[in-house]
Amino acid sequence: MPPVLVLPKVMPRRPTGVIIGSTSDEHASWSPTPVPLHARGIERIRSECEFDPDAAMRPLAAWWSPLVEQRLRVLPGGAYAYSTVVSEGPASTIGLVQDLVTVTNTLAIRAAPLVAGADLPPSFSTYLSNVTATTPTTLEVRREYLRSRFSAALADARSEEFDFGAESHFAQRIAGLVLQHGGEALGTFEATITESRMPLTVLGELFRTLGRIRGATTHDERRAVLLRFLAAPDIRVRHVAATGLAELDDPAAIPALRNALTAERSERLRSHLRLVLDQLQATNVALRHR
Amino acid sequence: MSHFVIGSLKSENWYTEADFDWLPAGGVIADCLKDLKPDGGILSVYEVEETASDDLVRRIVAAIAAGANNPRDVAYFRFPRAAVEALQVTINPDEPGRTGDDEVNALHRDLQQLSATKLAELAGAMAHGTLGRFTAKTLRERIKAEVEARRLALEKVSRKLRDELGLG
């Protein structure tokens, strides 16, 4: 039985250490507790605190990301305000985070609902301060979330056939993660690729997708990721990184490709690098004449 | 002696003993088999004269790719007919191709009655032929040029690709 806590009479309007988020990507297909407990939690928050759950939850209608504000902290083992958007509108409560798990594409936050009880910390805010000093930051949890999403996509990709000429489901998921989470998603991808042995077929699809995404926000970061793998020890990883750079079609990669060409010993890969280099040089000329 | 052309390959799957010292002479990494996708023991190739230009070969590869919604980078091999005959593979010239380029379709051949063993041997022969490639961008440009030159029928280009290339 996890400990439960009592809210203080006066709760900070923006309580340090409380993270506000949705329990699912799909706006609430999962709920950790029965609805009556949610309602009870909201009622209790409204009656006992200055904290306005409706105001806090409002951003969720526009953004489904489970972790909303980077500077707040999520508190495994601590307090956690969460929301589920059900047909009649957002419902919210505060609970105790027990752990974070991924169910298919959903980040499920297991939390004990807020209930009145004994064995409680004397002060909610003091309790939060203590917990925030010792628990992972939101950023770390976001990374864990992205790792889960990426791992799930990779697991599915292992059984997906990447047909010539068809956009894969994996590519769509990767593009979605990059568009929603930006450079943070790229950092997660890179760490996972480095730590795990990924099938080359999947890696090739990943790099092609990273090159193909049309969006200026992450353009430089995607180029940087591909360039780093251009120096990978595995010849075929270098190969698909170059393919990703061709998809990106950014002349800024020309110097690095030239260096790679100079260093490359495999004639077959050199031929591939020359092909990519030729394309980027042609793009460069076209851009200058525009 | 003529050559065969096979398209729709991923170039990263066709490294040979020149790059992997654990491969025997004439070997190719097994990943290449993922690209071949025979159907009923039949593999589609196109036959060109030994003296045929690389431009014709690239026209064939573009015609094959044009039906796809989302053509990506593609590799192709040109390899001698003699290598196929040496494997005693049946060559059927009677089934025309189904691309949007009639001249290309006339060059179509079915390599028939392929066993897994023969397919692997065939892959080895291909991998030591002449490798060519398109990036996704250059492939799209080539498909567009083929349509504009009226060699490739517009209706055989996928709708999505037509829109992307501004081909109406």
Side-chain angles (χ1 to χ4, degrees):
Chain A
M1 181 70 182
V4 289
L5 59 88
V6 164
L7 293 174
K9 288 291 180 191
V10 178
M11 189 170 174
R13 281 219 167 265
R14 174 159 279 180
T16 306
V18 174
I19 183 104
I20 300 163
S22 168
T23 50
S24 87
D25 292 0
E26 293 82 16
H27 288 198
S29 54
W30 180 86
S31 170
T33 57
V35 170
L37 283 178
H38 284 243
R40 211 170 88 189
I42 290 172
E43 188 182 320
R44 191 170 167 77
I45 293 165
R46 281 197 177 121
S47 64
E48 299 189 4
C49 307
E50 290 179 7
F51 180 70
D52 179 357
D54 286 339
M57 294 304 151
R58 204 163 291 135
L60 292 172
W63 190 26
W64 52 262
S65 175
L67 305 169
V68 175
E69 294 197 33
Q70 285 192 21
R71 58 203 172 81
L72 299 180
R73 288 165 182 255
V74 74
L75 310 169
Y80 176 76
Y82 60 90
S83 109
T84 55
V85 182
V86 288
S87 56
E88 62 268 31
S92 55
T93 188
I94 290 184
L96 290 175
V97 175
Q98 294 173 318
D99 64 349
L100 304 165
V101 294
T102 300
V103 181
T104 57
N105 295 336
T106 298
L107 178 73
I109 299 162
R110 287 201 182 115
L114 173 70
V115 289
D119 303 323
L120 304 170
S123 156
F124 183 60
S125 54
T126 307
Y127 176 75
L128 285 179
S129 302
N130 291 340
V131 176
T132 53
T134 56
T135 51
T137 63
T138 301
L139 189 61
E140 287 166 321
V141 175
R142 285 174 68 90
R143 283 183 182 145
E144 182 53 41
Y145 167 72
L146 282 166
R147 260 196 295 273
S148 302
R149 293 284 306 270
F150 187 47
S151 297
L154 287 180
D156 292 345
R158 286 171 189 266
S159 55
E160 184 175 2
E161 195 157 326
F162 300 126
D163 283 331
F164 177 85
E167 188 175 17
S168 68
H169 184 50
F170 175 67
Q172 291 171 12
R173 287 169 77 174
I174 293 302
L177 284 173
V178 172
L179 291 172
Q180 286 157 10
H181 300 280
E184 210 170 321
L186 295 171
T188 302
F189 297 168
E190 194 169 354
T192 308
I193 295 166
T194 308
E195 290 162 10
S196 62
R197 189 181 173 279
M198 192 181 296
L200 189 92
T201 308
V202 178
L203 192 62
E205 189 71 4
L206 174 66
F207 285 172
R208 285 178 173 94
T209 303
L210 291 185
R212 214 160 32 222
I213 292 168
R214 291 291 164 251
T217 315
T218 58
H219 181 97
D220 291 351
E221 287 163 293
R222 286 183 281 120
R223 186 184 62 231
V225 169
L226 293 168
L227 287 176
R228 280 193 281 278
F229 284 98
L230 198 58
D234 186 321
I235 184 174
R236 297 204 301 152
V237 174
R238 298 198 294 278
H239 186 116
V240 291
T243 304
L245 287 168
E247 293 278 2
L248 193 72
D249 200 25
D250 181 354
I254 288 174
L257 276 163
R258 282 198 184 119
N259 290 340
L261 187 57
T262 304
E264 187 56 60
R265 289 193 302 175
S266 161
E267 189 42 51
R268 193 151 276 191
L269 181 51
R270 284 174 60 81
S271 157
H272 184 57
L273 292 170
R274 274 194 293 269
L275 179 79
V276 177
L277 199 48
D278 287 348
Q279 180 195 304
L280 298 195
Q281 284 168 337
T283 300
N284 199 25
V285 170
L287 289 173
R288 283 183 182 174
H289 287 85
R290 194 177 279 178
Chain B
M1 181 58 80
S2 58
H3 286 166
F4 285 135
V5 176
I6 184 161
S8 304
L9 309 176
K10 283 184 176 174
S11 55
E12 66 264 30
N13 288 337
W14 291 85
Y15 279 93
T16 65
E17 79 277 13
D19 297 299
F20 291 100
D21 55 13
W22 50 268
L23 281 168
V28 54
I29 49 173
D31 302 51
C32 68
L33 296 175
K34 290 190 284 193
D35 286 357
L36 294 180
K37 299 191 173 95
D39 188 5
I42 298 173
L43 196 64
S44 273
V45 295
Y46 293 78
E47 187 167 17
V48 296
E49 292 299 321
E50 189 177 1
T51 54
S53 66
D54 193 43
D55 188 63
L56 174 61
V57 174
R58 291 173 78 79
R59 177 177 166 183
I60 292 168
V61 175
I64 298 168
N69 275 327
N70 194 28
R72 52 158 171 71
D73 55 291
V74 63
Y76 56 91
F77 278 106
R78 176 177 181 161
F79 56 102
R81 179 186 172 107
V84 178
E85 290 177 341
L87 295 171
Q88 296 183 313
V89 171
T90 307
I91 302 164
N92 177 9
D94 298 330
E95 190 70 35
R98 294 175 185 168
T99 75
D101 186 327
D102 289 340
E103 284 185 45
V104 168
N105 290 341
L107 304 175
H108 181 261
R109 308 287 182 263
D110 278 335
L111 305 186
Q112 295 181 330
Q113 299 171 0
L114 287 172
S115 65
T117 307
K118 278 191 181 175
L119 183 69
E121 289 173 334
L122 201 51
M126 291 172 185
H128 292 82
T130 304
L131 172 64
R133 321 162 205 243
F134 281 103
T135 63
K137 183 181 182 182
T138 54
L139 178 61
R140 284 162 193 254
E141 288 169 350
R142 179 67 191 238
I143 290 170
K144 186 175 185 181
E146 291 297 325
V147 171
E148 287 171 345
R150 300 183 183 278
R151 288 190 291 262
L152 184 62
L154 181 61
E155 62 271 19
K156 289 282 190 167
V157 178
S158 76
R159 165 59 65 185
K160 183 170 180 285
L161 187 56
R162 267 185 263 172
D163 292 344
E164 272 182 36
L165 297 178
L167 290 170

